[in-house]
Amino acid sequence: GRSTPLGQVDGQSLDLLVEDVERLRIHLFDKGLLPGNVVYAAEERASSDTPKGVRPWDLILGGSWGCTLAMAYAHRYPTNVRS
């Protein structure tokens, strides 16, 4: 908590970073860079606002700050994470 970040932190928030993770999930599946780039039934898809064919993350994890971000993402999008 006492260290000074090297980069710019103005305008950053946990909520905005969580939204970045969600946009990344959709982008990676759209580009076929993650497995699961097939059409899934509605009940297998993530939340109703998720584009058709984009499934939940199978697993999201991190260490230190990454763990905090992963937990915040899972809390905000519980249907978008399987584990």
Side-chain angles (χ1 to χ4, degrees):
R2 289 184 259 164
S3 62
T4 303
L6 295 176
Q8 180 73 358
V9 296
D10 293 339
Q12 290 186 13
S13 71
L14 183 58
D15 289 336
L16 291 175
L17 292 170
V18 166
E19 293 306 314
D20 286 346
V21 173
E22 176 61 2
R23 284 192 296 275
L24 177 63
R25 180 182 70 88
I26 292 170
H27 173 78
L28 292 175
F29 278 110
D30 278 350
K31 298 295 181 188
L33 299 174
L34 291 176
N37 196 19
V38 297
V39 176
Y40 285 82
E43 61 274 3
E44 289 183 285
R45 284 197 330 235
S47 58
S48 60
D49 58 339
T50 299
K52 187 175 183 178
V54 178
R55 70 176 199 168
W57 293 108
D58 287 323
L59 176 70
I60 184 169
L61 52 86
S64 189
W65 170 248
C67 180
T68 302
L69 182 57
M71 293 296 289
Y73 177 87
H75 185 263
R76 170 69 176 88
Y77 293 101
T79 59
N80 294 3
V81 181
R82 293 181 191 253
S83 297

